[in-house]
Amino acid sequence: MTDLSLYILDITMNSVRAGAKNISVTLEEVNKVLTVTITDDGCGMSAEQVEKLSNPFFTTRTTRKVGLGIPFLRMLAEQTGGRVDIASKSVAEFEDHGTVVTATFHSDHIDFVPLGDLCETMITLIQGSPDIDFVYSHTSDEGVEVALDTREMRAILGEDIPLNSFEVLAFVRGFLKDQYAQK
């Protein structure tokens, strides 16, 4: 994968597969440090599963025998002097189950990969999982302030208009791009 938006998409799709109903994607850029946090209320993982996530030959998927998303994300973060932390509570053990993936990157490092198209990442997530509530936030000390909350969209649109309809997705694309253009 060539940019961070694709890793965000991959991790967030893992949240979808874990049965999450609420997923938050937050990017914060302060003093040339980018922190990406993905939080979900999915089924979570045991401590043993979290420990194995750095192993590229560990995956819970049955469609393939490798899981490269987290190991590569960790490598990209560490190359810039950052890190990846994962905290998870399993549904078998906790009522407030879910997973939090936090990755930090030093964005002024020569090995920092581009952010990519975060607008299209969010469009893809909403289009593919219109019944999940997504909260997206991207802020920086350089003036970026972008936010999207599908719960607010549902409150305005009502239950009869699906979030993955062409018109809604076109609105979301324009809404996000307009916010990024105001930087």
Side-chain angles (χ1 to χ4, degrees), residues 28-102:
E28 295 177 303
E29 298 177 77
V30 179
N31 296 326
K32 303 291 185 193
V33 175
L34 169 68
T35 302
V36 178
T37 306
I38 301 168
T39 306
D40 71 52
D41 62 355
C43 65
M45 296 176 281
S46 68
E48 180 183 340
Q49 287 174 313
V50 171
E51 197 173 302
K52 290 181 179 180
L53 284 179
S54 292
N55 180 350
F57 299 104
F58 171 77
T59 183
T60 57
R61 295 183 190 170
T62 58
T63 56
R64 63 179 187 223
K65 296 182 183 200
V66 294
L68 299 175
I70 293 293
F72 279 170
L73 180 68
R74 181 167 274 133
M75 178 191 70
L76 293 174
E78 289 174 354
Q79 283 179 338
T80 71
R83 58 186 287 162
V84 172
D85 295 306
I86 302 168
S88 192
K89 294 180 179 179
S90 171
V91 70
E93 301 175 87
F94 298 94
E95 188 174 316
D96 62 335
H97 50 84
T99 301
V100 179
V101 176
T102 305

Side-chain angles (χ1 to χ4, degrees), residues 80-130:
T80 71
R83 58 186 287 162
V84 172
D85 295 306
I86 302 168
S88 192
K89 294 180 179 179
S90 171
V91 70
E93 301 175 87
F94 298 94
E95 188 174 316
D96 62 335
H97 50 84
T99 301
V100 179
V101 176
T102 305
T104 57
F105 303 85
H106 292 266
S107 59
D108 59 348
H109 194 280
I110 192 169
D111 290 327
F112 180 70
V113 297
L115 280 177
D117 196 336
L118 296 163
C119 297
E120 291 305 316
T121 295
M122 292 312 300
I123 295 287
T124 301
L125 290 167
I126 294 167
Q127 182 177 19
S129 303

Side-chain angles (χ1 to χ4, degrees), residues 1-17 23-28 34-40 61 69-70 73 76 101-103 105 112-125 134-138 180:
M1 292 187 267
T2 57
D3 58 57
L4 288 178
S5 67
L6 296 175
Y7 286 93
I8 291 169
L9 179 63
D10 180 58
I11 292 166
T12 308
M13 289 306 300
N14 287 339
S15 297
V16 170
R17 283 187 286 278
I23 300 172
S24 171
V25 178
T26 305
L27 287 82
E28 295 177 303
L34 169 68
T35 302
V36 178
T37 306
I38 301 168
T39 306
D40 71 52
R61 295 183 190 170
I70 293 293
L73 180 68
L76 293 174
V101 176
T102 305
F105 303 85
F112 180 70
V113 297
L115 280 177
D117 196 336
L118 296 163
C119 297
E120 291 305 316
T121 295
M122 292 312 300
I123 295 287
T124 301
L125 290 167
F134 293 98
V135 176
Y136 175 73
S137 172
H138 183 177
Y180 275 109

